[in-house]
Amino acid sequence: MPQKIKVAYICVHNSCRSQMAEAISKLMAADNVEAYSAGTEIKPQINQDAVEVIKEIYGVDMNTTQRSKLLSDIPPVDVVITMGCNVKCPILPCKYREDWGLDDPTGKDKHEFIKTAQIIEQKVMDLKNRINDLW
């Protein structure tokens, strides 16, 4: 079995979109992806609206499975996905990088979190299907 590709989902605070992407990847792409999320800053806890939506849709409680991490807290990775920071996105060495340009749902209603989770799921599945062709 080929080695899993290490993918890091990064954003500044590592509290919402990148955490959602890590959870969805671990659920839907675990056969060929080892997923991490991280940021240049951390929050004391993951965005609780994101936690609620991921638990409701996917049955994953990010409060127990994940924590906010700095870039230095994760191992070297092959692929970096930036979430669309709208500021200078964090830099992390990698072999391949892309930006998903996702709007941050923080402070918006539950529908925006659900929409963000659905977009992330589509993008994770697309990445999973393309990942072996990236090298």
Side-chain angles (χ1 to χ4, degrees):
M1 178 174 154
Q3 185 174 352
K4 291 183 181 184
I5 305 295
K6 289 182 175 70
V7 178
Y9 299 99
I10 62 173
C11 208
V12 175
H13 296 115
N14 186 225
S15 64
C16 189
R17 294 164 293 169
S18 54
Q19 291 284 353
M20 294 168 81
E22 177 182 350
I24 293 169
S25 290
K26 286 180 173 178
L27 187 64
M28 308 192 104
D31 50 336
N32 60 348
V33 168
E34 194 173 311
Y36 301 91
S37 67
T40 52
E41 302 172 22
I42 56 173
K43 295 281 187 176
Q45 68 178 7
I46 299 171
N47 181 304
Q48 292 303 291
D49 294 323
V51 169
E52 178 185 331
V53 165
I54 294 298
K55 189 172 187 178
E56 183 178 303
I57 297 173
Y58 303 100
V60 175
D61 183 353
M62 294 190 300
N63 282 330
T64 60
T65 61
Q66 294 169 216
R67 63 180 174 79
S68 191
K69 300 171 290 302
L70 294 170
L71 298 176
S72 59
D73 294 333
I74 64 172
V77 297
D78 304 301
V79 175
V80 167
I81 306 295
T82 52
M83 297 287 102
C85 306
N86 297 326
V87 294
K88 186 168 172 55
C89 281
I91 299 298
L92 190 64
C94 62
K95 297 175 186 170
Y96 177 78
R97 172 184 309 270
E98 65 184 47
D99 182 82
W100 284 359
L102 300 172
D103 290 331
D104 187 354
T106 299
K108 298 178 182 169
D109 66 21
K110 184 176 178 179
H111 174 74
E112 289 301 314
F113 282 85
I114 292 169
K115 186 171 103 177
T116 299
Q118 291 169 337
I119 293 168
I120 289 171
E121 180 180 336
Q122 292 171 349
K123 290 183 172 292
V124 164
M125 295 309 294
D126 176 60
L127 180 64
K128 177 183 175 180
N129 292 331
R130 292 184 293 121
I131 206 142
N132 292 328
D133 296 332
L134 295 176
W135 310 143

